[in-house]
Amino acid sequence: MPRYSALALLRARFQGARYWKPLWTGRTLKAAYDVVVVGAGGHGLATAFHLARDHGLKVAVLERRLVGYGNVGRNTTILRSNYLLPENHYFYEDSLRRWETLSRDLNYNVMYSPRGVVDLCLSDGDMITASRRGNAMRLAGIDSELMELDALERFAPELAPRRSRRFPIVGALVQRRGGTARHDAVAWGYARGATALGVDIIEDCEVQGLCTEAGVATGVETSKGLVRANRVVFATAGHTGMVGAMLGVPLPIETHLLQAMVTEPIKPLINSVLIYVHPGHGETYVLQSDRGGVVMGGYLDGFPSYTREGQWHRLEEVVQGAADLLPEIGGLRILRQWAGTNDMTMDGSPIMDRVKYDNVFLNAGWCYGGFKTIPASGAACATLVATGLAPDIARGFRLSRFATGHLLDERGGGPFPVRL
Amino acid sequence: MSRLICPFCGPRELREFEFHKTLPNAGDTPFERVYLRVDSLTHSVEHWQHIQGCRAWLHVERNPSTGAVLVMRLATAPGVA
Ligand SMILES: Cc1cc2nc3c(=O)[nH]c(=O)nc-3n(C[C@H](O)[C@H](O)[C@H](O)COP(=O)(O)OP(=O)(O)OC[C@H]3O[C@@H](n4cnc5c(N)ncnc54)[C@H](O)[C@@H]3O)c2cc1C
Ligand SMILES: [Zn+2]
């Protein structure tokens, strides 16, 4: 695998298309591996990468469709670590630190852009909640600033926070190191990195069952035949509910759609990620892609679905919120709208643990926020699988927490993934 | 699935309804009832409520892969499908 550099690019310029070789295709499925990872989304690929790099294991990633066709290629790429609960914010912060060096670590430009994440406050109550979260973060050494209008006006002038609105903005909780990255590049970068370390990435290979012997998993049944494995990791995101069905264990997960949409490209207007929870419209978040499109998203559609078609009323709500926040984008045309299936846990926090068998692992339940955690999740899950022990920052993500009551409920919303 | 047909109110926009929970319960203990879910690609049995209409509790059966609504009627006792 050639190393990318400015010099290599220059050389490629003269070799033309011949320089660019496929990055991960063409591997054949072998009969046995140390670890089989199911699902070539961000989490599966990152886990495989770290299993090979940090623990020297022989790994295959089996993907029922193509690399990057799941949520890793459908999300709105917001990166942040502004979580309230320690079990979450230490983990998300570990991930944010990894984003800062990821392009170098993978030798692949993931276009990490720390443009700042702005959580807008519309009332004194919002400011109090925001300051509680911000202070919890600062106690953990994570950057967080509570801004009133003057500071916010300086940080996000495009917002014109003082402009006349039905629900005036009073301030914001800002994480400057938060931002975005390029979703596809993350999948491609990890796939390339893993392949270079000898990982076999097999596309068009659906895992249909688990082979077991005397209470131990021995491999998986796939659409391409049986594969033996000492350990199996499910990183199946929106299909984790089906993994529960396959293993015969009901999981604390419901499958819900989240949609997003993007407008025609315009000149740079929005400098940061704006998150706006509006009493009339629900949630909208808005950012501008590097290509210039205004990317928008909001709440889940609200009921279990595998259709990947977003519902109209949610789209309408998101767009109304965005146009309310930034009236100047109201006339733009929407070019694309799409949805992805999300593995929503009953407390909104992830699961990284064994499931049913001692050598079967679940890296799932990332809900609608699992893009940002890909780097930390890969490293932590690889440690869990290779050593049998999760690193400290991932200890809270046990499957048993639902039974023992050690929930990580950021929202304080109770066991309903979609209730607000 | 942009509309649902309420047995009392007739066809109404989806936004008037609220999904509550899938059925049947994964087991009988409170933990299983509250936290665990039985997932299906093709047949999901659910409780919904017509919150912005007559507020009736509804028993809904859908195909979550196509969005087709198969059954929609008044719900019986809580947790019973
Ligand atoms: C619209 C939208 C916006 C989002 N915005 C953000 C955001 O701004 N920030 C953020 O942090 N997160 C966001 N998320 C969430 C984030 O995308 C997901 O949490 C994360 O991508 C899930 O992990 P993954 O990348 O491994 O999933 P995926 O890419 O979905 O990978 C799972 C893979 O497993 C494969 N698979 C499933 N079952 C099998 C099987 N039986 N055999 C073989 N392969 C199988 C699937 O085909 C899929 O490729 C968003 C999600 C959506 C849908
Ligand atoms: Zn009704």
Side-chain angles (χ1 to χ4, degrees), chain A residues 38-44 62-65 70-72 74-78 205-207 235-237 239 246 258-260 285 338 340 342 366-372 374:
Chain A
V38 185
H43 289 271
L62 310 183
E63 165 57 48
R64 59 191 268 272
R65 293 188 295 174
N71 288 344
V72 70
R74 288 165 188 264
N75 70 87
T76 46
T77 75
I78 302 170
C205 179
E206 183 177 15
V207 171
T236 41
H239 272 70
M246 186 196 294
L258 186 69
Q259 55 178 307
Y285 53 84
W338 65 94
N342 291 300
W366 295 102
C367 301
Y368 38 57
F371 179 70
K372 61 177 80 68
I374 287 170

mmCIF file of all heavy atoms in Angstrom, chain A residues 38-44 62-65 70-72 74-78 205-207 235-237 239 246 258-260 285 338 340 342 366-372 374, ligand 1:
data_model
loop_
_atom_site.group_PDB
_atom_site.id
_atom_site.type_symbol
_atom_site.label_atom_id
_atom_site.label_comp_id
_atom_site.label_asym_id
_atom_site.label_seq_id
_atom_site.Cartn_x
_atom_site.Cartn_y
_atom_site.Cartn_z
ATOM 1 N N VAL A 38 -18.292 -8.537 12.481
ATOM 2 C CA VAL A 38 -19.459 -8.483 11.609
ATOM 3 C C VAL A 38 -19.859 -7.026 11.422
ATOM 4 O O VAL A 38 -20.195 -6.338 12.389
ATOM 5 C CB VAL A 38 -20.635 -9.286 12.212
ATOM 6 C CG1 VAL A 38 -21.807 -9.317 11.232
ATOM 7 C CG2 VAL A 38 -20.185 -10.680 12.585
ATOM 8 N N GLY A 39 -19.834 -6.561 10.170
ATOM 9 C CA GLY A 39 -20.241 -5.190 9.868
ATOM 10 C C GLY A 39 -19.050 -4.304 9.567
ATOM 11 O O GLY A 39 -18.193 -4.091 10.429
ATOM 12 N N ALA A 40 -18.984 -3.799 8.320
ATOM 13 C CA ALA A 40 -17.889 -2.906 7.937
ATOM 14 C C ALA A 40 -18.369 -1.462 7.933
ATOM 15 O O ALA A 40 -18.273 -0.749 6.935
ATOM 16 C CB ALA A 40 -17.318 -3.294 6.578
ATOM 17 N N GLY A 41 -18.923 -1.044 9.056
ATOM 18 C CA GLY A 41 -19.176 0.375 9.281
ATOM 19 C C GLY A 41 -17.962 0.933 10.007
ATOM 20 O O GLY A 41 -16.922 0.270 10.122
ATOM 21 N N GLY A 42 -18.107 2.133 10.518
ATOM 22 C CA GLY A 42 -16.992 2.747 11.216
ATOM 23 C C GLY A 42 -16.504 1.909 12.387
ATOM 24 O O GLY A 42 -15.294 1.689 12.563
ATOM 25 N N HIS A 43 -17.437 1.402 13.183
ATOM 26 C CA HIS A 43 -17.033 0.680 14.395
ATOM 27 C C HIS A 43 -16.377 -0.651 14.083
ATOM 28 O O HIS A 43 -15.384 -1.024 14.699
ATOM 29 C CB HIS A 43 -18.233 0.509 15.325
ATOM 30 C CG HIS A 43 -18.644 1.811 15.940
ATOM 31 N ND1 HIS A 43 -18.108 2.266 17.111
ATOM 32 C CD2 HIS A 43 -19.486 2.774 15.507
ATOM 33 C CE1 HIS A 43 -18.612 3.462 17.389
ATOM 34 N NE2 HIS A 43 -19.457 3.788 16.426
ATOM 35 N N GLY A 44 -16.919 -1.383 13.111
ATOM 36 C CA GLY A 44 -16.335 -2.670 12.740
ATOM 37 C C GLY A 44 -14.939 -2.486 12.162
ATOM 38 O O GLY A 44 -13.996 -3.206 12.528
ATOM 39 N N LEU A 62 -16.681 -8.938 7.940
ATOM 40 C CA LEU A 62 -17.684 -9.426 7.000
ATOM 41 C C LEU A 62 -18.817 -8.401 6.894
ATOM 42 O O LEU A 62 -19.395 -7.993 7.895
ATOM 43 C CB LEU A 62 -18.240 -10.778 7.473
ATOM 44 C CG LEU A 62 -17.180 -11.831 7.843
ATOM 45 C CD1 LEU A 62 -17.850 -13.146 8.219
ATOM 46 C CD2 LEU A 62 -16.185 -12.034 6.705
ATOM 47 N N GLU A 63 -19.120 -8.013 5.667
ATOM 48 C CA GLU A 63 -20.100 -6.937 5.456
ATOM 49 C C GLU A 63 -21.165 -7.407 4.466
ATOM 50 O O GLU A 63 -20.839 -7.871 3.384
ATOM 51 C CB GLU A 63 -19.362 -5.693 4.920
ATOM 52 C CG GLU A 63 -20.245 -4.628 4.320
ATOM 53 C CD GLU A 63 -21.330 -4.108 5.265
ATOM 54 O OE1 GLU A 63 -21.017 -3.793 6.422
ATOM 55 O OE2 GLU A 63 -22.509 -4.043 4.820
ATOM 56 N N ARG A 64 -22.416 -7.254 4.858
ATOM 57 C CA ARG A 64 -23.470 -7.775 3.984
ATOM 58 C C ARG A 64 -23.658 -6.943 2.718
ATOM 59 O O ARG A 64 -24.149 -7.448 1.719
ATOM 60 C CB ARG A 64 -24.800 -7.897 4.726
ATOM 61 C CG ARG A 64 -25.328 -6.612 5.296
ATOM 62 C CD ARG A 64 -26.492 -6.878 6.239
ATOM 63 N NE ARG A 64 -27.761 -6.829 5.544
ATOM 64 C CZ ARG A 64 -28.479 -5.720 5.365
ATOM 65 N NH1 ARG A 64 -28.041 -4.574 5.833
ATOM 66 N NH2 ARG A 64 -29.619 -5.751 4.726
ATOM 67 N N ARG A 65 -23.292 -5.681 2.770
ATOM 68 C CA ARG A 65 -23.408 -4.880 1.544
ATOM 69 C C ARG A 65 -22.011 -4.412 1.127
ATOM 70 O O ARG A 65 -21.196 -5.219 0.749
ATOM 71 C CB ARG A 65 -24.371 -3.724 1.780
ATOM 72 C CG ARG A 65 -25.798 -4.249 1.994
ATOM 73 C CD ARG A 65 -26.801 -3.155 2.050
ATOM 74 N NE ARG A 65 -26.574 -2.297 3.213
ATOM 75 C CZ ARG A 65 -27.238 -1.191 3.465
ATOM 76 N NH1 ARG A 65 -28.184 -0.798 2.653
ATOM 77 N NH2 ARG A 65 -26.986 -0.477 4.531
ATOM 78 N N GLY A 70 -23.579 1.769 5.299
ATOM 79 C CA GLY A 70 -24.428 1.914 6.479
ATOM 80 C C GLY A 70 -24.391 3.343 7.002
ATOM 81 O O GLY A 70 -24.178 4.294 6.244
ATOM 82 N N ASN A 71 -24.552 3.467 8.295
ATOM 83 C CA ASN A 71 -24.657 4.801 8.884
ATOM 84 C C ASN A 71 -23.365 5.598 8.817
ATOM 85 O O ASN A 71 -23.392 6.825 8.880
ATOM 86 C CB ASN A 71 -25.091 4.687 10.342
ATOM 87 C CG ASN A 71 -26.532 4.273 10.438
ATOM 88 O OD1 ASN A 71 -27.265 4.352 9.458
ATOM 89 N ND2 ASN A 71 -26.948 3.830 11.597
ATOM 90 N N VAL A 72 -22.258 4.892 8.697
ATOM 91 C CA VAL A 72 -21.004 5.636 8.644
ATOM 92 C C VAL A 72 -21.007 6.565 7.426
ATOM 93 O O VAL A 72 -20.402 7.634 7.452
ATOM 94 C CB VAL A 72 -19.784 4.693 8.665
ATOM 95 C CG1 VAL A 72 -19.652 3.897 7.377
ATOM 96 C CG2 VAL A 72 -18.519 5.464 8.938
ATOM 97 N N ARG A 74 -23.887 7.843 6.173
ATOM 98 C CA ARG A 74 -25.186 8.522 6.137
ATOM 99 C C ARG A 74 -25.327 9.589 7.204
ATOM 100 O O ARG A 74 -26.384 10.206 7.321
ATOM 101 C CB ARG A 74 -26.311 7.511 6.423
ATOM 102 C CG ARG A 74 -26.573 6.559 5.326
ATOM 103 C CD ARG A 74 -27.423 5.404 5.826
ATOM 104 N NE ARG A 74 -27.499 4.402 4.781
ATOM 105 C CZ ARG A 74 -28.499 4.308 3.907
ATOM 106 N NH1 ARG A 74 -29.530 5.099 4.006
ATOM 107 N NH2 ARG A 74 -28.472 3.399 2.973
ATOM 108 N N ASN A 75 -24.319 9.739 8.029
ATOM 109 C CA ASN A 75 -24.536 10.608 9.189
ATOM 110 C C ASN A 75 -24.092 12.034 8.890
ATOM 111 O O ASN A 75 -23.518 12.324 7.848
ATOM 112 C CB ASN A 75 -23.817 10.033 10.408
ATOM 113 C CG ASN A 75 -22.331 10.137 10.287
ATOM 114 O OD1 ASN A 75 -21.747 11.149 10.647
ATOM 115 N ND2 ASN A 75 -21.710 9.125 9.729
ATOM 116 N N THR A 76 -24.366 12.915 9.836
ATOM 117 C CA THR A 76 -24.083 14.333 9.623
ATOM 118 C C THR A 76 -22.748 14.748 10.243
ATOM 119 O O THR A 76 -22.471 15.929 10.385
ATOM 120 C CB THR A 76 -25.228 15.194 10.177
ATOM 121 O OG1 THR A 76 -25.559 14.710 11.469
ATOM 122 C CG2 THR A 76 -26.450 15.100 9.293
ATOM 123 N N THR A 77 -21.961 13.772 10.647
ATOM 124 C CA THR A 77 -20.533 13.913 10.985
ATOM 125 C C THR A 77 -20.199 14.865 12.130
ATOM 126 O O THR A 77 -19.108 15.403 12.191
ATOM 127 C CB THR A 77 -19.686 14.341 9.757
ATOM 128 O OG1 THR A 77 -19.915 15.723 9.483
ATOM 129 C CG2 THR A 77 -20.026 13.525 8.536
ATOM 130 N N ILE A 78 -21.123 15.074 13.034
ATOM 131 C CA ILE A 78 -20.812 15.994 14.134
ATOM 132 C C ILE A 78 -19.950 15.286 15.177
ATOM 133 O O ILE A 78 -20.276 14.182 15.621
ATOM 134 C CB ILE A 78 -22.095 16.541 14.777
ATOM 135 C CG1 ILE A 78 -22.925 17.256 13.710
ATOM 136 C CG2 ILE A 78 -21.761 17.486 15.925
ATOM 137 C CD1 ILE A 78 -24.315 17.633 14.166
ATOM 138 N N CYS A 205 -21.198 -10.195 2.039
ATOM 139 C CA CYS A 205 -21.076 -11.420 2.839
ATOM 140 C C CYS A 205 -21.883 -11.231 4.122
ATOM 141 O O CYS A 205 -21.421 -10.611 5.074
ATOM 142 C CB CYS A 205 -19.603 -11.677 3.153
ATOM 143 S SG CYS A 205 -19.321 -13.137 4.152
ATOM 144 N N GLU A 206 -23.107 -11.739 4.089
ATOM 145 C CA GLU A 206 -23.993 -11.537 5.236
ATOM 146 C C GLU A 206 -23.785 -12.633 6.277
ATOM 147 O O GLU A 206 -23.746 -13.816 5.928
ATOM 148 C CB GLU A 206 -25.454 -11.537 4.782
ATOM 149 C CG GLU A 206 -26.398 -11.262 5.936
ATOM 150 C CD GLU A 206 -27.852 -11.176 5.500
ATOM 151 O OE1 GLU A 206 -28.163 -11.599 4.372
ATOM 152 O OE2 GLU A 206 -28.662 -10.691 6.287
ATOM 153 N N VAL A 207 -23.691 -12.243 7.523
ATOM 154 C CA VAL A 207 -23.626 -13.228 8.601
ATOM 155 C C VAL A 207 -25.049 -13.595 8.987
ATOM 156 O O VAL A 207 -25.852 -12.741 9.340
ATOM 157 C CB VAL A 207 -22.833 -12.683 9.798
ATOM 158 C CG1 VAL A 207 -22.961 -13.603 10.993
ATOM 159 C CG2 VAL A 207 -21.377 -12.513 9.405
ATOM 160 N N ALA A 235 -20.596 -5.591 15.142
ATOM 161 C CA ALA A 235 -20.592 -4.122 15.059
ATOM 162 C C ALA A 235 -21.589 -3.755 13.964
ATOM 163 O O ALA A 235 -21.230 -3.222 12.928
ATOM 164 C CB ALA A 235 -19.191 -3.613 14.740
ATOM 165 N N THR A 236 -22.830 -4.109 14.216
ATOM 166 C CA THR A 236 -23.855 -4.102 13.169
ATOM 167 C C THR A 236 -24.787 -2.903 13.239
ATOM 168 O O THR A 236 -25.756 -2.844 12.478
ATOM 169 C CB THR A 236 -24.682 -5.394 13.280
ATOM 170 O OG1 THR A 236 -24.920 -5.655 14.674
ATOM 171 C CG2 THR A 236 -23.926 -6.582 12.717
ATOM 172 N N ALA A 237 -24.525 -1.969 14.124
ATOM 173 C CA ALA A 237 -25.285 -0.722 14.224
ATOM 174 C C ALA A 237 -26.790 -0.957 14.074
ATOM 175 O O ALA A 237 -27.389 -1.649 14.891
ATOM 176 C CB ALA A 237 -24.752 0.299 13.230
ATOM 177 N N HIS A 239 -28.586 -2.869 12.605
ATOM 178 C CA HIS A 239 -29.127 -4.224 12.508
ATOM 179 C C HIS A 239 -28.879 -5.042 13.771
ATOM 180 O O HIS A 239 -29.039 -6.260 13.767
ATOM 181 C CB HIS A 239 -28.550 -4.948 11.293
ATOM 182 C CG HIS A 239 -29.373 -4.694 10.064
ATOM 183 N ND1 HIS A 239 -29.403 -3.461 9.453
ATOM 184 C CD2 HIS A 239 -30.226 -5.488 9.381
ATOM 185 C CE1 HIS A 239 -30.232 -3.529 8.430
ATOM 186 N NE2 HIS A 239 -30.737 -4.730 8.358
ATOM 187 N N MET A 246 -31.060 -13.255 16.085
ATOM 188 C CA MET A 246 -30.201 -14.358 15.627
ATOM 189 C C MET A 246 -29.664 -15.158 16.818
ATOM 190 O O MET A 246 -29.579 -16.380 16.784
ATOM 191 C CB MET A 246 -29.039 -13.759 14.817
ATOM 192 C CG MET A 246 -28.120 -14.749 14.150
ATOM 193 S SD MET A 246 -26.561 -13.961 13.641
ATOM 194 C CE MET A 246 -27.067 -12.833 12.400
ATOM 195 N N LEU A 258 -33.273 7.882 11.640
ATOM 196 C CA LEU A 258 -32.895 9.290 11.756
ATOM 197 C C LEU A 258 -32.665 9.777 10.341
ATOM 198 O O LEU A 258 -32.050 9.085 9.537
ATOM 199 C CB LEU A 258 -31.614 9.441 12.573
ATOM 200 C CG LEU A 258 -31.227 10.893 12.875
ATOM 201 C CD1 LEU A 258 -32.210 11.524 13.851
ATOM 202 C CD2 LEU A 258 -29.819 10.975 13.453
ATOM 203 N N GLN A 259 -33.177 10.942 10.015
ATOM 204 C CA GLN A 259 -32.975 11.439 8.661
ATOM 205 C C GLN A 259 -32.124 12.691 8.647
ATOM 206 O O GLN A 259 -31.913 13.352 9.661
ATOM 207 C CB GLN A 259 -34.303 11.662 7.945
ATOM 208 C CG GLN A 259 -35.278 12.566 8.657
ATOM 209 C CD GLN A 259 -36.544 12.763 7.819
ATOM 210 O OE1 GLN A 259 -36.466 13.144 6.652
ATOM 211 N NE2 GLN A 259 -37.684 12.493 8.403
ATOM 212 N N ALA A 260 -31.613 12.988 7.484
ATOM 213 C CA ALA A 260 -30.812 14.186 7.289
ATOM 214 C C ALA A 260 -31.059 14.676 5.875
ATOM 215 O O ALA A 260 -31.617 13.950 5.045
ATOM 216 C CB ALA A 260 -29.334 13.889 7.500
ATOM 217 N N TYR A 285 -30.407 20.678 13.774
ATOM 218 C CA TYR A 285 -29.009 21.086 13.789
ATOM 219 C C TYR A 285 -28.579 21.374 12.368
ATOM 220 O O TYR A 285 -29.055 20.770 11.413
ATOM 221 C CB TYR A 285 -28.110 20.085 14.501
ATOM 222 C CG TYR A 285 -28.198 18.670 14.021
ATOM 223 C CD1 TYR A 285 -27.456 18.253 12.931
ATOM 224 C CD2 TYR A 285 -29.012 17.751 14.671
ATOM 225 C CE1 TYR A 285 -27.514 16.938 12.494
ATOM 226 C CE2 TYR A 285 -29.079 16.448 14.239
ATOM 227 C CZ TYR A 285 -28.339 16.049 13.151
ATOM 228 O OH TYR A 285 -28.395 14.754 12.717
ATOM 229 N N TRP A 338 -32.177 11.703 3.177
ATOM 230 C CA TRP A 338 -31.971 10.260 3.357
ATOM 231 C C TRP A 338 -32.179 9.921 4.820
ATOM 232 O O TRP A 338 -32.320 10.819 5.660
ATOM 233 C CB TRP A 338 -30.567 9.867 2.904
ATOM 234 C CG TRP A 338 -29.489 10.477 3.736
ATOM 235 C CD1 TRP A 338 -28.874 9.913 4.801
ATOM 236 C CD2 TRP A 338 -28.907 11.780 3.584
ATOM 237 N NE1 TRP A 338 -27.944 10.777 5.326
ATOM 238 C CE2 TRP A 338 -27.950 11.927 4.589
ATOM 239 C CE3 TRP A 338 -29.103 12.836 2.681
ATOM 240 C CZ2 TRP A 338 -27.189 13.097 4.743
ATOM 241 C CZ3 TRP A 338 -28.350 13.998 2.832
ATOM 242 C CH2 TRP A 338 -27.401 14.112 3.847
ATOM 243 N N GLY A 340 -31.167 6.765 8.026
ATOM 244 C CA GLY A 340 -30.424 5.564 8.422
ATOM 245 C C GLY A 340 -31.093 4.933 9.625
ATOM 246 O O GLY A 340 -31.801 5.601 10.385
ATOM 247 N N ASN A 342 -30.998 3.390 13.250
ATOM 248 C CA ASN A 342 -30.148 3.561 14.424
ATOM 249 C C ASN A 342 -30.516 2.561 15.514
ATOM 250 O O ASN A 342 -31.688 2.345 15.799
ATOM 251 C CB ASN A 342 -30.314 4.966 15.001
ATOM 252 C CG ASN A 342 -29.725 5.997 14.080
ATOM 253 O OD1 ASN A 342 -28.543 5.965 13.777
ATOM 254 N ND2 ASN A 342 -30.553 6.893 13.608
ATOM 255 N N TRP A 366 -24.961 2.557 19.529
ATOM 256 C CA TRP A 366 -24.377 3.900 19.429
ATOM 257 C C TRP A 366 -25.427 4.953 19.127
ATOM 258 O O TRP A 366 -25.120 6.129 18.989
ATOM 259 C CB TRP A 366 -23.259 3.907 18.384
ATOM 260 C CG TRP A 366 -22.133 3.045 18.827
ATOM 261 C CD1 TRP A 366 -21.846 1.786 18.398
ATOM 262 C CD2 TRP A 366 -21.166 3.346 19.847
ATOM 263 N NE1 TRP A 366 -20.764 1.298 19.086
ATOM 264 C CE2 TRP A 366 -20.329 2.227 19.968
ATOM 265 C CE3 TRP A 366 -20.936 4.460 20.665
ATOM 266 C CZ2 TRP A 366 -19.268 2.183 20.883
ATOM 267 C CZ3 TRP A 366 -19.888 4.413 21.558
ATOM 268 C CH2 TRP A 366 -19.072 3.288 21.668
ATOM 269 N N CYS A 367 -26.655 4.501 18.990
ATOM 270 C CA CYS A 367 -27.781 5.422 18.796
ATOM 271 C C CYS A 367 -27.510 6.356 17.625
ATOM 272 O O CYS A 367 -26.973 5.938 16.625
ATOM 273 C CB CYS A 367 -28.068 6.188 20.083
ATOM 274 S SG CYS A 367 -28.463 5.108 21.474
ATOM 275 N N TYR A 368 -27.882 7.629 17.792
ATOM 276 C CA TYR A 368 -27.665 8.556 16.682
ATOM 277 C C TYR A 368 -26.369 9.330 16.878
ATOM 278 O O TYR A 368 -26.168 10.356 16.254
ATOM 279 C CB TYR A 368 -28.841 9.513 16.507
ATOM 280 C CG TYR A 368 -29.456 9.994 17.801
ATOM 281 C CD1 TYR A 368 -28.690 10.633 18.759
ATOM 282 C CD2 TYR A 368 -30.810 9.814 18.054
ATOM 283 C CE1 TYR A 368 -29.240 11.059 19.943
ATOM 284 C CE2 TYR A 368 -31.382 10.244 19.245
ATOM 285 C CZ TYR A 368 -30.588 10.852 20.173
ATOM 286 O OH TYR A 368 -31.143 11.268 21.346
ATOM 287 N N GLY A 369 -25.485 8.831 17.733
ATOM 288 C CA GLY A 369 -24.276 9.601 18.024
ATOM 289 C C GLY A 369 -22.993 8.819 17.907
ATOM 290 O O GLY A 369 -22.004 9.150 18.550
ATOM 291 N N GLY A 370 -22.984 7.799 17.067
ATOM 292 C CA GLY A 370 -21.841 6.903 17.063
ATOM 293 C C GLY A 370 -20.776 7.196 16.036
ATOM 294 O O GLY A 370 -19.788 6.473 15.961
ATOM 295 N N PHE A 371 -20.937 8.235 15.252
ATOM 296 C CA PHE A 371 -19.856 8.549 14.309
ATOM 297 C C PHE A 371 -18.661 9.091 15.074
ATOM 298 O O PHE A 371 -17.519 8.675 14.862
ATOM 299 C CB PHE A 371 -20.352 9.563 13.270
ATOM 300 C CG PHE A 371 -19.288 9.966 12.282
ATOM 301 C CD1 PHE A 371 -18.836 9.074 11.323
ATOM 302 C CD2 PHE A 371 -18.717 11.237 12.324
ATOM 303 C CE1 PHE A 371 -17.855 9.439 10.420
ATOM 304 C CE2 PHE A 371 -17.729 11.603 11.423
ATOM 305 C CZ PHE A 371 -17.287 10.703 10.473
ATOM 306 N N LYS A 372 -18.938 9.991 15.995
ATOM 307 C CA LYS A 372 -17.874 10.653 16.747
ATOM 308 C C LYS A 372 -17.044 9.689 17.585
ATOM 309 O O LYS A 372 -15.928 9.969 17.946
ATOM 310 C CB LYS A 372 -18.477 11.733 17.642
ATOM 311 C CG LYS A 372 -19.455 11.175 18.668
ATOM 312 C CD LYS A 372 -20.002 12.241 19.592
ATOM 313 C CE LYS A 372 -21.123 13.045 18.988
ATOM 314 N NZ LYS A 372 -22.375 12.283 18.757
ATOM 315 N N ILE A 374 -16.133 6.583 16.771
ATOM 316 C CA ILE A 374 -15.484 5.508 16.016
ATOM 317 C C ILE A 374 -14.023 5.283 16.453
ATOM 318 O O ILE A 374 -13.643 4.146 16.761
ATOM 319 C CB ILE A 374 -15.619 5.747 14.497
ATOM 320 C CG1 ILE A 374 -17.055 5.472 14.077
ATOM 321 C CG2 ILE A 374 -14.644 4.878 13.704
ATOM 322 C CD1 ILE A 374 -17.399 5.881 12.654
HETATM 323 C C1 LIG C 1 -29.001 10.650 9.542
HETATM 324 C C2 LIG C 1 -27.985 10.304 10.589
HETATM 325 C C3 LIG C 1 -27.213 11.309 11.169
HETATM 326 C C4 LIG C 1 -26.267 11.013 12.132
HETATM 327 N N1 LIG C 1 -25.501 12.032 12.615
HETATM 328 C C5 LIG C 1 -24.488 11.767 13.478
HETATM 329 C C6 LIG C 1 -23.629 12.809 13.911
HETATM 330 O O1 LIG C 1 -23.760 13.961 13.495
HETATM 331 N N2 LIG C 1 -22.623 12.499 14.786
HETATM 332 C C7 LIG C 1 -22.437 11.233 15.245
HETATM 333 O O2 LIG C 1 -21.541 11.024 16.036
HETATM 334 N N3 LIG C 1 -23.256 10.220 14.848
HETATM 335 C C8 LIG C 1 -24.278 10.448 13.963
HETATM 336 N N4 LIG C 1 -25.094 9.425 13.541
HETATM 337 C C9 LIG C 1 -24.912 8.078 14.105
HETATM 338 C C10 LIG C 1 -23.801 7.299 13.438
HETATM 339 O O3 LIG C 1 -23.904 7.374 12.046
HETATM 340 C C11 LIG C 1 -23.896 5.829 13.884
HETATM 341 O O4 LIG C 1 -24.016 5.734 15.287
HETATM 342 C C12 LIG C 1 -22.653 5.028 13.488
HETATM 343 O O5 LIG C 1 -22.268 5.294 12.155
HETATM 344 C C13 LIG C 1 -22.961 3.556 13.659
HETATM 345 O O6 LIG C 1 -21.822 2.757 13.600
HETATM 346 P P1 LIG C 1 -21.202 2.180 12.246
HETATM 347 O O7 LIG C 1 -20.502 3.263 11.518
HETATM 348 O O8 LIG C 1 -20.377 1.027 12.623
HETATM 349 O O9 LIG C 1 -22.524 1.736 11.483
HETATM 350 P P2 LIG C 1 -22.802 1.247 10.010
HETATM 351 O O10 LIG C 1 -22.022 2.024 9.022
HETATM 352 O O11 LIG C 1 -24.269 1.196 9.850
HETATM 353 O O12 LIG C 1 -22.185 -0.227 10.033
HETATM 354 C C14 LIG C 1 -22.873 -1.399 10.360
HETATM 355 C C15 LIG C 1 -22.643 -2.364 9.222
HETATM 356 O O13 LIG C 1 -23.026 -3.671 9.590
HETATM 357 C C16 LIG C 1 -23.520 -4.320 8.446
HETATM 358 N N5 LIG C 1 -24.294 -5.472 8.868
HETATM 359 C C17 LIG C 1 -25.428 -5.487 9.613
HETATM 360 N N6 LIG C 1 -25.858 -6.745 9.807
HETATM 361 C C18 LIG C 1 -24.962 -7.562 9.179
HETATM 362 C C19 LIG C 1 -24.868 -8.969 9.030
HETATM 363 N N7 LIG C 1 -25.771 -9.801 9.560
HETATM 364 N N8 LIG C 1 -23.813 -9.469 8.324
HETATM 365 C C20 LIG C 1 -22.895 -8.650 7.778
HETATM 366 N N9 LIG C 1 -22.942 -7.304 7.892
HETATM 367 C C21 LIG C 1 -23.971 -6.762 8.591
HETATM 368 C C22 LIG C 1 -24.326 -3.243 7.754
HETATM 369 O O14 LIG C 1 -24.557 -3.520 6.396
HETATM 370 C C23 LIG C 1 -23.462 -2.008 7.986
HETATM 371 O O15 LIG C 1 -22.593 -1.728 6.912
HETATM 372 C C24 LIG C 1 -26.088 9.677 12.572
HETATM 373 C C25 LIG C 1 -26.865 8.668 12.015
HETATM 374 C C26 LIG C 1 -27.789 8.952 11.017
HETATM 375 C C27 LIG C 1 -28.592 7.845 10.412
#
